[in-house]
Amino acid sequence: MKLSRKIFLLSAVACGMMVAHDAAHAAHHAPGDPADEKARQVLAHMSPEDKMSLLFSVDGGGFNGSVAPPGGLGSAAYLRAPAGSGLPDLQISDAGLGIRNPAHIRKDGAAVSLPSGLSTASSWDMDMAREAGAMIGREAWQSGFNVLLGGGADLTRDPRGGRNFEYAGEDPLQTGRMVGSTIAGVQSQHVISTLKHYAMNDLETSRMTMSADIDPVAMRESDLLGFEIALETGHPGSVMCSYNRVNDLYACENPYLLNTTLKQDWHYPGFVMSDWGATHSSARAALAGLDQESAGDHADARPYFQALLAADVKAGRVPQSRIDDMAQRIVRSLFAQGLVDHPPRRAPLDVVTDTLVAQRDEEEGAVLLRNEGNVLPLSPTARIAVIGGHADVGVISGGGSSQVDPIGGEVVKGPGKKDWPGDPVYFPSSPLKAMRAEAPSAHITYDPGTNIAAAVRAARAADVAVVYATQFTFEGMDAPNMHLDGNADALIAAVAAANPRTVVVMETGDPVLMPWNSSVAGVLEAWFPGSGGGTAIARLLFGKVAPSGHLTMTFPQAESQLAHPDIAGVTANNVFEMQFHTDQELVYDEGSDVGYRWFDRNHLKPLYPFGYGLTYTTFATDGLAAGYHHKQLTVTFNVRNTGTRPGVDVPQVYVGLPDGGARRLGGWQRVTLAPGESRQVSVQVDPRLLAHFDGRHDRWAIPSGRFRVWLGTSAVDDSQQVSVHLPARTLAP
Ligand code: BGC
């Protein structure tokens, strides 16, 4: 064992054990909280057996061919409320992009899917994220579900992560605010939203066994800060602990994560549920802070939170007060999120309205990376060769438990892969058809791109070629490399050689390498575009809406630039092997310098930096000033639309601490401006971004000295900078 790792383990374990004792013996109490009070009243009349039954959900059906339990609708899990308690049964469904229908178990299980979480995050628009969350929350409620298993807030420590598309990106502030806003939206519909996967589940390789080893201080300043901000922003009723170990201990029995950080430091009043198969013990997990075992009848090696936990209580290994606390936290969330007073009322989905929400989300989240010679927006009368990516029928989506059954069915028949996650699913929102509808006077041809020579001929005969390229990523396995799928790189290079006015539309789950970047005129990163994706892309390409997305992940020039150039053990083999791959440790020695911070610290030049994104107009900023008043750092500046079209700018504020280190995103503003219009903007910097976490005293400490403040269009923009002196200050955790 490495020395550094030993230190992490000792500090985390020592800290956690102390608190485990306190938390286990003090039933949760928040005076004056009506939900807490109501929960207390219900539980006062409940038998110990009934309380215990709240701590264990069963498989909801679809898992390895299982059927829905009596009362269950067919979903990830089901929990029958104790008879006569007045509490609702819990109908628990995946996930963060829409309502999942595992193994097509429900006959009417199709739903509207948002674009990937990465796309929503790339809008940098908290109102949009809230609206997107409200849309899927509403669909959950109308489908009979009252617990949704999203949003995901793991940081992108590696651009090959199989589930990055479900998350928000590499920055803790950005992730916390965007995912927190989605959660708030879901919960506005009387549906509990679940912040997951807590914590450090940043990779899929060996996810069931691997230990993410990291200095707890660095973890508090990076991944955990993202969760903390998401929690404050969204107040999720539940938090899902992850599969992996963190500093050697499984996340679902990790007292440092659950008791010390989540419940003690962050005062989290809700409950912790395990990921499916992530519970490994009864007393140990309960004492560490796990409150509910998920789908424990099928997913875990044994049903821990039933007879085994009852025996622990009887033998005095777990005090009854801890069981009371677990039940209190669960029932409190049911009251706090309106599940008791507003039970789901099943109704047909409003597909038209909901698809429009998904479409707008995609319109805001797609990122224009390149636009040489203003190749975009496209002329409505151009001859356009659309090539590849199944653009004639639909848009690709990510695989795994966030996958939604498309309304209208799947439109691309794959080879029929039996292994998880099956063939990629395409939503029937055709970019080609939408382009034709958007520009009826254009002459638009389609070539599938499978034969490069034919695609080149089509491109030659057109004014502009638009190549659609995909990268399918999915839960359970990381991308073994950063390439687009199939022949896309060769296809794009050949088409670009034939027609310099080539635009690439990428539908990817992750950043990809773009060896052809400098030979194409335009690149639009559309991520996984969701149910309204085809229309959104067409409207962006023709300028009906201007792109306004900005990257929340660094696009490297090569994998050698990454903090971990190789993912140990990753192969393109069977996904189940990958998840359980040997008991490995991954030492995150880059600490809190994730993504752009790693690039900054090491003076590496990315292909496209974090925060970057173009649009169809231009902006100028000036008047940058930073002031510290009433313990608050406020940054002000002016932004002006200097172009000829209306547009949205996302100016970003980065800060540098007096004692050095990489720059950090401190805040941003999304500003919509007409041509010639200008506005004064003020951004308040979250004090935790100005601080170091002081592990010894368990608090944040702002050092005194001169802080640098950058105003930028991305994390590498050095053009405008001021500095400001701050006094030393400490903040409670
Ligand atoms: C995933 C979770 C999901 C759960 C239930 C797990 O494999 O990691 O994100 O919510 O399954 O389907």
Side-chain angles (χ1 to χ4, degrees):
M1 186 190 293
K2 286 191 182 160
L3 179 65
S4 54
R5 181 159 176 269
K6 248 189 196 155
I7 295 168
F8 304 159
L9 300 189
L10 289 177
S11 58
V13 170
C15 219
M17 274 178 25
M18 248 160 44
V19 178
H21 187 265
D22 293 350
H25 288 83
H28 176 74
H29 184 66
D33 174 350
D36 236 339
E37 204 40 55
K38 286 180 189 165
R40 208 176 310 288
Q41 283 168 18
V42 168
L43 290 167
H45 305 288
M46 205 179 267
S47 68
E49 293 71 30
D50 281 352
K51 278 184 196 166
M52 190 68 86
S53 74
L54 293 169
L55 317 183
F56 186 89
S57 67
V58 297
D59 169 35
F63 183 78
N64 282 345
S66 64
V67 297
L73 298 172
S75 69
Y78 171 70
L79 195 153
R80 179 187 293 282
S85 64
L87 299 175
D89 294 355
L90 299 188
Q91 304 279 3
I92 302 169
S93 172
D94 280 307
L97 309 182
I99 313 312
R100 174 169 162 78
N101 188 22
H104 314 295
I105 189 167
R106 300 188 313 280
K107 274 204 289 300
D108 55 349
V112 175
S113 176
L114 293 170
S116 58
L118 188 47
S119 179
T120 301
S122 301
S123 74
W124 299 61
D125 182 350
M126 292 170 71
D127 294 335
M128 183 71 248
R130 195 175 200 284
E131 206 181 324
M135 186 278 276
I136 60 173
R138 189 165 56 244
E139 289 210 349
W141 198 79
Q142 291 168 336
S143 310
F145 296 107
N146 52 11
V147 180
L148 209 48
L149 301 172
D154 295 277
L155 287 195
T156 303
R157 280 185 177 263
D158 195 300
R160 294 157 296 194
R163 298 186 87 171
N164 286 344
F165 74 92
E166 293 184 53
Y167 307 142
E170 61 195 24
D171 180 79
L173 180 71
Q174 221 275 351
T175 290
R177 287 188 180 168
M178 297 305 294
V179 176
S181 301
T182 310
I183 289 171
V186 169
Q187 295 197 152
S188 69
Q189 306 299 309
H190 318 302
V191 171
I192 285 179
S193 185
T194 308
L195 180 62
K196 70 185 188 184
H197 307 88
Y198 184 71
M200 302 298 301
N201 187 182
D202 303 336
L203 283 176
E204 292 297 280
T205 304
S206 313
R207 67 171 171 165
M208 309 303 262
T209 52
M210 70 99 92
S211 180
D213 292 345
I214 181 166
D215 178 347
V217 164
M219 179 160 61
R220 290 297 283 258
E221 293 180 2
S222 54
D223 293 59
L224 295 191
L225 182 57
F227 280 105
E228 183 179 2
I229 295 172
L231 210 78
E232 294 164 4
T233 310
H235 305 286
S238 54
V239 170
M240 185 192 290
C241 49
S242 55
Y243 286 128
N244 53 291
R245 292 176 290 137
V246 176
N247 292 335
D248 218 30
L249 300 183
Y250 277 114
C252 291
E253 52 187 49
N254 191 313
Y256 178 74
L257 289 180
L258 306 181
N259 281 339
T260 308
T261 306
L262 180 68
K263 293 183 177 178
Q264 176 193 282
D265 287 354
W266 299 344
H267 310 287
Y268 179 59
F271 68 101
V272 178
M273 67 164 80
S274 54
D275 200 345
W276 274 230
T279 307
H280 299 277
S281 58
S282 54
R284 207 164 56 233
L287 291 176
L290 177 64
D291 301 304
Q292 190 179 74
E293 180 180 4
S294 303
D297 57 336
H298 273 179
D300 294 317
R302 300 172 71 182
Y304 293 104
F305 278 19
Q306 281 191 322
L308 291 174
L309 187 57
D312 290 329
V313 176
K314 205 156 168 226
R317 287 186 292 270
V318 175
Q320 179 61 39
S321 61
R322 173 64 187 121
I323 305 295
D324 293 347
D325 175 46
M326 294 155 92
Q328 173 72 20
R329 287 170 172 280
I330 294 164
V331 177
R332 181 204 176 273
S333 283
L334 306 192
F335 280 109
Q337 304 314 328
L339 273 66
V340 186
D341 297 331
H342 306 277
R345 227 174 287 141
R346 297 188 69 176
L349 306 181
D350 185 348
V351 173
V352 173
T353 307
D354 294 353
T355 306
L356 258 175
V357 174
Q359 178 195 317
R360 282 202 301 108
D361 194 4
E362 170 63 12
E363 287 171 2
E364 288 201 3
V367 183
L368 181 61
L369 294 175
R370 189 173 168 86
N371 195 16
E372 292 301 297
N374 291 331
V375 66
L376 295 176
L378 298 172
S379 154
T381 54
R383 290 173 306 155
I384 303 167
V386 171
I387 298 167
H390 297 290
D392 55 334
V393 287
V395 288
I396 196 170
S397 57
S401 61
S402 66
Q403 174 76 66
V404 174
D405 280 5
I407 290 171
E410 299 181 23
V411 284
V412 174
K413 199 164 163 35
K417 199 166 158 280
K418 288 275 174 293
D419 295 343
W420 169 274
D423 297 327
V425 171
Y426 284 72
F427 284 90
S429 179
S430 156
L432 175 70
K433 286 183 196 149
M435 286 173 76
R436 285 183 173 146
E438 199 57 53
S441 308
H443 177 72
I444 306 181
T445 59
Y446 180 72
D447 180 280
T450 39
N451 175 331
I452 293 184
V456 163
R457 277 197 299 279
R460 272 213 191 98
D463 303 320
V464 187
V466 181
V467 184
Y468 286 81
T470 58
Q471 178 211 31
F472 178 51
T473 62
F474 51 91
E475 174 183 341
M477 198 170 120
D478 301 309
N481 57 54
M482 294 189 64
H483 296 299
L484 288 165
D485 290 340
N487 69 351
D489 282 338
L491 174 69
I492 294 166
V495 169
N499 188 335
R501 289 172 64 79
T502 290
V503 174
V504 179
V505 177
M506 304 203 293
E507 298 171 18
T508 70
D510 277 325
V512 288
L513 300 179
M514 298 157 61
W516 34 261
N517 182 51
S518 56
S519 61
V520 301
V523 180
L524 181 71
E525 172 56 90
W527 312 115
F528 293 144
S531 294
T535 310
I537 291 169
R539 282 162 52 87
L540 288 161
L541 291 177
F542 284 102
K544 187 59 77 63
V545 284
S548 59
H550 288 252
L551 295 181
T552 61
M553 281 184 191
T554 305
F555 275 48
Q557 297 192 41
E559 283 154 291
S560 57
Q561 291 184 311
L562 302 175
H564 302 273
D566 301 305
I567 301 176
V570 73
T571 69
N573 284 343
N574 177 298
V575 64
F576 279 101
E577 268 168 42
M578 292 312 308
Q579 298 178 87
F580 293 95
H581 195 71
T582 53
D583 235 18
Q584 69 183 29
E585 290 154 21
L586 178 50
V587 180
Y588 285 114
D589 37 20
E590 73 274 31
S592 59
D593 285 334
V594 181
Y596 69 89
R597 278 154 72 158
W598 170 260
F599 276 69
D600 189 31
R601 175 171 121 186
N602 293 289
H603 312 291
L604 296 165
K605 193 176 175 319
L607 180 61
Y608 289 109
F610 176 91
Y612 179 82
L614 302 172
T615 185
Y616 297 150
T617 186
T618 49
F619 296 97
T621 45
D622 63 13
L624 174 63
Y628 188 69
H629 305 291
H630 307 296
K631 299 184 176 168
Q632 174 63 57
L633 175 60
T634 303
V635 180
T636 52
F637 51 89
N638 307 308
V639 50
R640 189 158 46 94
N641 183 341
T642 51
T644 53
R645 288 167 167 267
V648 176
D649 195 16
V650 184
Q652 301 141 40
V653 170
Y654 294 87
V655 291
L657 272 58
D659 43 3
R663 74 181 71 184
R664 305 161 169 196
L665 178 71
W668 73 89
Q669 185 72 262
R670 220 183 120 91
V671 198
T672 306
L673 293 172
E677 196 187 357
S678 66
R679 185 157 324 143
Q680 196 189 43
V681 172
S682 131
V683 169
Q684 301 209 323
V685 177
D686 187 306
R688 288 166 293 196
L689 273 321
L690 303 166
H692 296 295
F693 191 75
D694 171 357
R696 284 190 52 200
H697 299 101
D698 201 27
R699 64 186 183 196
W700 295 93
I702 301 180
S704 94
R706 253 195 189 273
F707 285 69
R708 287 186 294 169
V709 175
W710 291 270
L711 170 62
T713 53
S714 78
V716 301
D717 184 354
D718 279 332
S719 58
Q720 293 173 70
Q721 195 190 137
V722 290
S723 69
V724 58
H725 184 273
L726 264 59
R729 195 183 142 210
T730 56
L731 314 157

